[in-house]
Amino acid sequence: MRLVVVSAGLSVPSSTRLLADRLATAVSDRAGGQGAVDVRVVELRDLAVEIAHNLTTGFPGPALASALDAVATADGLVVVTPVFSASYSGLFKSFFDVLDPEALTGRPVLIAATGGSARHSLVLEHALRPLFSYLRAVVVPTGVYAASEDWGAEGLAERIERAAAELAGLMRGLTAGARVAAGPAGSADRAGSPPESVQVPVSVPAPGGPVGAGGFEVIPFEQQLAALRPE
């Protein structure tokens, strides 16, 4: 399985990268142990110039193209951003702006953020979750927010483990489904012939007449409207 971690931290060292690494380790452990998950970390600070060029020219540089391809082919994503002005950072948003709009469809995503105060924790729900829902990703129920006071305190480790378990479960289901679809019985039977289709008889009603559907009689709207008109 392939896990891609997108970190939008700007400083070195970065609490955003620290949270990203802890989440990646937890997901790897939950998904099958060491070696079962191929983890790639995408540091957006290293791609800032190429992202800006892509926004103005429409063409990604080689490093950005590689990162975009990794995200588009991952079995699961961990995305972590620092909170800037009560939302995700501009660099974080710009990266997903240059990503193909269809790239995350059906892809499991774990959202996380870091900030200086617990007052910004709702960024997960009012900014990150709507963004990835719009991109048609499958966002795990548990988001992880880490304020400055959370490091070393109770609660953060439990949230990390819970979110990691949710993402790992979705990733296992996704890869198992792909293996079944690619198996010898996925699109043809053992004799090599395609699966039989089910033919459902459909009667074509007279124009304006009732339509049969699932055992019920469906009366066209214009016919119902006519019945309401006074004689």
Side-chain angles (χ1 to χ4, degrees):
M1 288 185 286
R2 291 165 295 182
L3 174 69
V4 174
V5 181
V6 178
S7 172
L10 298 179
S11 60
V12 179
S14 164
S15 61
T16 300
R17 176 60 189 269
L18 176 60
L19 180 58
D21 288 342
R22 289 188 60 178
L23 287 166
T25 299
V27 173
S28 296
D29 292 342
R30 292 280 187 167
Q34 186 175 6
V37 179
D38 178 22
V39 179
R40 175 173 175 178
V41 178
V42 175
E43 278 280 13
L44 297 188
R45 65 187 299 274
D46 299 331
L47 301 173
V49 174
E50 289 195 18
I51 291 172
H53 286 167
N54 193 170
L55 287 170
T56 56
T57 67
F59 298 97
L64 177 58
S66 175
L68 294 173
D69 181 66
V71 168
T73 58
D75 295 309
L77 293 175
V78 172
V79 297
V80 192
T81 178
V83 175
F84 284 4
S85 301
S87 188
Y88 37 63
S89 72
L91 180 60
F92 181 86
K93 179 60 161 58
S94 295
F95 176 76
F96 290 100
D97 282 345
V98 300
L99 183 70
D100 187 300
E102 304 294 328
L104 297 186
T105 300
R107 204 165 305 283
V109 177
L110 191 166
I111 56 174
T114 59
S117 168
R119 292 177 297 174
H120 292 302
S121 60
L122 285 177
V123 69
L124 296 173
E125 304 305 325
H126 75 67
L128 284 166
R129 196 176 296 277
L131 170 63
F132 289 97
S133 294
Y134 172 78
L135 294 172
R136 295 193 291 277
V138 180
V139 186
V140 302
T142 303
V144 181
Y145 178 81
S148 299
E149 62 265 26
D150 287 328
W151 298 102
E154 294 183 1
L156 178 59
E158 288 75 11
R159 293 197 301 274
I160 288 174
E161 289 299 323
R162 183 166 63 248
E166 292 168 357
L167 180 62
L170 288 173
M171 290 173 63
R172 286 195 299 267
L174 182 66
T175 54
R179 286 195 296 270
V180 170
S187 58
D189 59 20
R190 294 182 181 179
S193 58
E196 295 181 0
S197 59
V198 178
Q199 300 295 328
V200 179
V202 178
S203 59
V204 180
V211 180
F216 296 93
E217 185 179 88
V218 181
I219 301 175
F221 176 72
E222 59 272 17
Q223 188 174 336
Q224 297 183 48
L225 188 61
L228 296 175
R229 294 172 182 165
E231 297 181 357

